[in-house]
Amino acid sequence: MVQMRTMEVMVGAFMAAGFVALFFLAMQVSNLSSLAGGDGYQVTARFDNIGGLKVRSPVAMAGVRIGRVAGISFDNTTYEAIVTMQIDSSYNTIPDDTFAKIYTAGLLGEQYIGLDPGGSEEYLTDGGKISLTQSALVLEEIIGQFLFSKAEEGGGDE
Amino acid sequence: MSPQPDDSNEPLVKIRGLRFYRGERAIFDGVDIDIPRGLITAIMGPSGTGKTTLLKLIGGQLRPDAGTVHVDGQDVHKLNNKDLYRLRMRMGMLFQSGALLTDISVFENVAYPLREHTRLPESIIRKLVLMKLEAVGLRGARDLMPSELSGGMARRAALARAIVLDPKMIMYDEPFTGQDPISMGVLVQLIPRLSKASRLTSIVVSHDVAETAGIADIIYVISNGKVIAGGPSEQVANSDSPWVRQFMDGLADGPVPFHFPAPPLEADILENATQPPADAGATL
Amino acid sequence: MEPLARLGRIGIASLERLGRGHLLLLHIFSGITDLITRPRLLVAQLHSVGVLSMLIITVSGLFVGMVLGLQGFYILSQFGAEETLGVMVAASLVRELGPVVTALLFAGRAGSALTAEIGLMKATEQLSGLEMMAVDPIKRILTPRFMAGLLSMPLLAAMFSAIGVIGGHFVGVGLLGVDEGAYWSQMQAKIDLHEDIYNGVIKSIVFGFVCTWIALFQGHDCVPTSEGVSRATTRTVVHSALAILCLDFVLTALMFGE
């Protein structure tokens, strides 16, 4: 019976360790903790081109992550992308003339939305809109423009 | 067919026209055997005649290709799973190796069928197990693990387990094989004692002629898939059929030839002598 | 004609084995109701299948995580992206290495032991003995082992991944100087609970199912001699490894393919 008892204890410890590991993976490794902080407010912005932006991409201000992209949709009449951002409720003093811009983290990194604060006294609230936006830089366009200007320069010399 | 009352003259096991094939080879080719109640029946034959297979057919672990096996009036191979299991609770079987569960003690092994099939309180289980262990002389070994037992002790412990549910019949698979003279003597004593004590029907499958013939009331001799002799033990022991004589007296040559079937020796040797280059080539 | 006939024989024999395997599985499932009334049988098997595999799984997980930290750091630092080390370590572990390596180790540690145990019970007539005691050996012996394997595998895989992430943290942050905050925050930003963790758990459940099934079938179907048991044990490890890797490809294609 003593043997059975130690066996039971060890199996209990095994199960507990397994569940702790699962819990650790869910809480510490995955985005569950950041998803759980759903108590925030949503604002929308319209972009001409969002490049490689995805749902759950970060939203940052001065490089600090303050929220995430909650949804991306397409406006059939204006042909613009509508991006919904979920901002954590603790960041509730963002001016309503804030400028939203799509950046790329590093040369090959993923894209995120950077917010540059404006000077307004009014703050963004739930359902608010950011009207000042700048689209993502698309690498092909930049290279295209660069080559085009070079070609023009070359043509001028002749 | 309704189950017969215990004291009827109907044999407990009735085998009719039994055929069993393993691949192309016929293990049993039309076997009829009656096993009467309350007696010790020995089924004997040379190795490889499927004596163990016969026990498995009686226990319903194997299905025959033709023929019937009736145990206590029930056709074993027509029973559904539930009824077959109920029937097996009234059969005990002693396997050649004992077949004790290796991860529990002797006591727990003997108690296993009780714990599985009854809801008896622990104190009664303990009494029953100790009584059965006493009957086989292993009460003192109850806390040993099966790996700590000698072959003969393991077989006796398995015997205690086989009789713990008080079955109607018990089947012994080669009980004397590989035993030293002492444990052989113990088993030779035990089997008839158990049988007489509770009018237990016993089937002993063996090729140990002297020991088996000494304890059996009825003897069947099987060879080449057929019953070649059957009847009360003195009658079979004194039979003058050459087959039976060869088996009972342990003669090297007789109707069962010493040589495995082969072409004549001279032809084989000469053939090899003329063909060494071909053989050598093949092995390279 | 002979090669064709041989091919045919092999095909028929494999189909037969496959059929027997599925029948065995059905029989094992039919014992689950009995198991509920005897949870002690399951506890004993969880001990021999799960607890005894824990050491090898956690130690391997630690070292795999540390190697990932080291290799990942050298590759990522060439792109100046050491910050994403945590993502790389965690994604490799949770999606692939956790379930796959755990299953391979499990097949070697627990699977082979199960086959040998069942095969030996068959060779020593213990299974026949149970049958003659009117106890169904598949329900009593195989079902608890099957359920224990099925339950243990996801837990073991989770332990492997969790320990691996900590091992990667130890090497990356502790020894190579990756920023601690970046290690965790990048990981949390990129590893998705549903897409990565759930799918990893599903993978390990599938592997646990297949590994335990193969091990039990090989043990139950083996030739009951010492040679037969040792061959069956080898087959368990080989078949399990092949099944795990093939299934991993299929599952990965289904889950992460889109």
Side-chain angles (χ1 to χ4, degrees):
Chain A
M1 274 301 115
V2 177
Q3 238 183 341
M4 190 69 200
R5 180 99 194 117
T6 46
M7 188 186 281
E8 277 171 351
V9 171
M10 285 172 82
V11 169
F14 164 70
M15 305 275 284
F19 286 118
V20 166
L22 272 177
F23 185 74
F24 171 80
L25 290 179
M27 294 311 290
Q28 187 69 22
V29 175
S30 84
N31 55 358
L32 181 67
S33 46
S34 55
L35 285 180
D39 55 333
Y41 59 97
Q42 294 197 330
V43 296
T44 56
R46 288 164 171 268
F47 292 92
D48 291 334
N49 187 340
I50 59 166
L53 196 72
K54 302 234 166 47
V55 173
R56 275 198 292 276
S57 291
V59 176
M61 209 160 181
V64 178
R65 186 190 161 104
I66 59 166
R68 64 190 170 83
V69 173
I72 296 173
S73 57
F74 180 66
D75 187 326
N76 248 330
T77 52
T78 61
Y79 309 114
E80 285 173 326
I82 305 166
V83 175
T84 311
M85 287 169 266
Q86 175 90 22
I87 311 286
D88 291 358
S89 50
S90 50
Y91 308 107
N92 55 2
T93 54
I94 300 171
D96 64 356
D97 58 349
T98 291
F99 190 67
K101 194 174 171 187
I102 297 177
Y103 291 100
T104 304
L107 189 60
L108 302 170
E110 68 157 359
Q111 293 185 302
Y112 67 97
I113 296 180
L115 300 182
D116 296 329
S120 167
E121 297 284 309
E122 304 281 305
Y123 300 135
L124 282 171
T125 53
D126 193 37
K129 288 190 174 58
I130 297 176
S131 43
L132 302 168
T133 63
Q134 183 183 326
S135 292
L137 290 176
V138 179
L139 206 57
E140 294 92 314
E141 279 180 15
I142 300 169
I143 294 171
Q145 281 170 6
F146 175 73
L147 289 178
F148 188 62
S149 61
K150 274 288 176 200
E152 272 191 339
E153 277 173 32
D157 282 350
E158 239 178 323
Chain B
M1 216 186 278
S2 62
Q4 308 287 327
D6 222 31
D7 53 353
S8 80
N9 290 324
E10 183 79 5
L12 185 65
V13 180
K14 224 165 67 176
I15 299 172
R16 288 292 175 267
L18 184 74
R19 279 166 212 278
F20 185 79
Y21 298 91
R22 191 152 274 164
E24 298 288 296
R25 200 162 73 93
I27 307 278
F28 297 117
D29 193 13
V31 165
D32 298 332
I33 290 177
D34 285 333
I35 305 220
R37 290 165 195 271
L39 297 180
I40 301 176
T41 305
I43 294 170
M44 299 168 80
S47 320
T49 43
K51 301 185 294 292
T52 306
T53 309
L54 184 66
L55 294 187
K56 290 196 166 174
L57 283 162
I58 296 174
Q61 289 186 294
L62 293 172
R63 298 192 78 83
D65 291 297
T68 56
V69 176
H70 283 90
V71 175
D72 208 7
Q74 292 175 292
D75 186 339
V76 173
H77 300 101
K78 291 225 171 69
L79 293 177
N80 61 27
N81 237 9
K82 208 173 149 199
D83 290 339
L84 180 61
Y85 273 59
R86 196 168 297 150
L87 180 64
R88 280 182 186 159
M89 283 162 68
R90 290 183 284 146
M91 294 181 185
M93 179 149 169
L94 181 66
F95 286 85
Q96 204 169 339
S97 58
L100 294 172
L101 296 169
T102 43
D103 54 348
I104 51 179
S105 68
V106 169
F107 181 93
E108 285 302 318
N109 258 295
V110 178
Y112 194 86
L114 291 171
R115 294 199 202 283
E116 283 296 325
H117 298 304
T118 67
R119 295 238 168 268
L120 294 175
E122 188 60 34
S123 60
I124 294 185
I125 288 183
R126 194 181 132 82
K127 273 181 203 140
L128 282 171
V129 171
L130 290 182
M131 268 163 56
K132 300 297 177 187
L133 280 173
E134 175 72 19
V136 298
L138 288 179
R139 192 164 45 86
R142 60 175 179 256
D143 292 326
L144 296 182
M145 295 302 280
S147 56
E148 297 170 292
L149 299 179
S150 71
M153 284 159 80
R155 221 166 279 188
R156 275 147 68 195
L159 183 54
R161 185 178 69 177
I163 56 171
V164 76
L165 285 175
D166 288 319
K168 275 194 169 169
M169 126 181 161
I170 181 159
M171 300 187 269
Y172 300 90
D173 184 6
E174 302 278 7
F176 308 119
T177 309
Q179 298 290 309
D180 63 68
I182 299 174
S183 40
M184 185 115 80
V186 171
L187 282 165
V188 167
Q189 253 196 348
L190 260 179
I191 294 173
R193 206 204 302 163
L194 287 173
S195 172
K196 299 288 170 316
S198 46
R199 256 181 65 80
L200 190 63
T201 308
S202 310
I203 306 175
V204 182
V205 145
S206 178
H207 53 232
D208 294 288
V209 176
E211 291 77 16
T212 315
I215 59 169
D217 301 308
I218 311 274
I219 293 180
Y220 283 92
V221 181
I222 300 182
S223 181
N224 285 330
K226 290 198 190 308
V227 175
I228 55 168
S233 53
E234 312 82 50
Q235 190 186 322
V236 173
N238 300 324
S239 158
D240 41 341
S241 141
W243 285 87
V244 179
R245 284 266 61 83
Q246 188 194 359
F247 181 72
M248 300 299 274
D249 300 340
L251 303 176
D253 216 343
V256 179
F258 169 70
H259 291 290
F260 196 81
L265 181 65
E266 298 80 17
D268 240 6
I269 290 175
L270 286 177
E271 192 188 4
N272 267 343
T274 56
Q275 286 183 333
D279 270 14
T283 50
L284 288 176
Chain C
M1 277 327 242
E2 181 51 30
L4 209 61
R6 185 181 301 174
L7 192 67
R9 271 203 300 277
I10 293 173
I12 291 170
S14 331
L15 271 179
E16 261 178 23
R17 285 178 76 82
L18 203 65
R20 284 205 301 278
H22 281 88
L23 287 178
L24 181 72
L25 191 64
L26 279 182
H27 201 152
I28 287 175
F29 281 148
S30 71
I32 291 176
T33 43
D34 286 19
L35 190 61
I36 294 167
T37 59
R38 294 167 196 265
R40 269 170 183 259
L41 288 172
L42 185 62
V43 169
Q45 291 315 315
L46 275 173
H47 180 261
S48 67
V49 169
V51 175
L52 296 183
S53 306
M54 225 167 110
L55 186 68
I56 185 173
I57 297 287
T58 46
V59 172
S60 315
L62 183 68
F63 280 104
V64 167
M66 282 161 62
V67 168
L68 278 174
L70 216 54
Q71 293 277 22
F73 181 81
Y74 289 132
I75 292 170
L76 292 173
S77 62
Q78 289 176 14
F79 302 103
E82 305 95 279
E83 247 75 286
T84 54
L85 182 67
V87 183
M88 190 193 133
V89 171
S92 330
L93 280 169
V94 171
R95 286 180 165 205
E96 285 297 329
L97 293 174
V100 172
V101 178
T102 305
L104 290 174
L105 291 171
F106 183 87
R109 169 66 185 76
S112 59
L114 281 178
T115 304
E117 189 189 10
I118 305 287
L120 221 56
M121 287 182 92
K122 187 181 179 185
T124 55
E125 296 176 312
Q126 290 183 53
L127 296 184
S128 284
L130 283 175
E131 226 168 74
M132 286 309 297
M133 282 192 277
V135 173
D136 187 335
I138 293 179
K139 289 184 181 177
R140 190 54 35 83
I141 304 290
L142 268 64
T143 305
R145 284 164 175 76
F146 182 79
M147 292 313 291
L150 200 60
L151 278 174
S152 298
M153 185 74 92
L155 297 180
L156 289 170
M159 285 180 212
F160 185 97
S161 299
I163 299 258
V165 167
I166 293 169
H169 177 268
F170 172 70
V171 169
V173 177
L175 302 182
L176 299 172
V178 174
D179 180 59
E180 162 130 33
Y183 186 86
W184 293 116
S185 67
Q186 293 267 10
M187 192 188 291
Q188 286 167 11
K190 291 283 169 50
I191 302 293
D192 184 51
L193 181 72
H194 177 75
E195 194 165 323
D196 296 309
I197 309 242
Y198 286 176
N199 280 347
V201 172
I202 289 170
K203 264 188 184 179
S204 62
I205 292 175
V206 173
F207 294 159
F209 183 97
V210 172
C211 277
T212 322
W213 180 20
I214 289 177
L216 292 178
F217 174 67
Q218 291 295 355
H220 189 257
D221 204 54
C222 75
V223 183
T225 59
S226 16
E227 198 206 357
V229 174
S230 76
R231 275 164 176 264
T233 310
T234 313
R235 269 205 303 273
T236 293
V237 176
V238 173
H239 289 192
S240 300
L242 285 177
I244 290 161
L245 296 173
C246 293
L247 271 175
D248 184 45
F249 174 74
V250 173
L251 288 175
T252 308
L254 286 177
M255 288 169 172
F256 304 114
E258 324 246 319

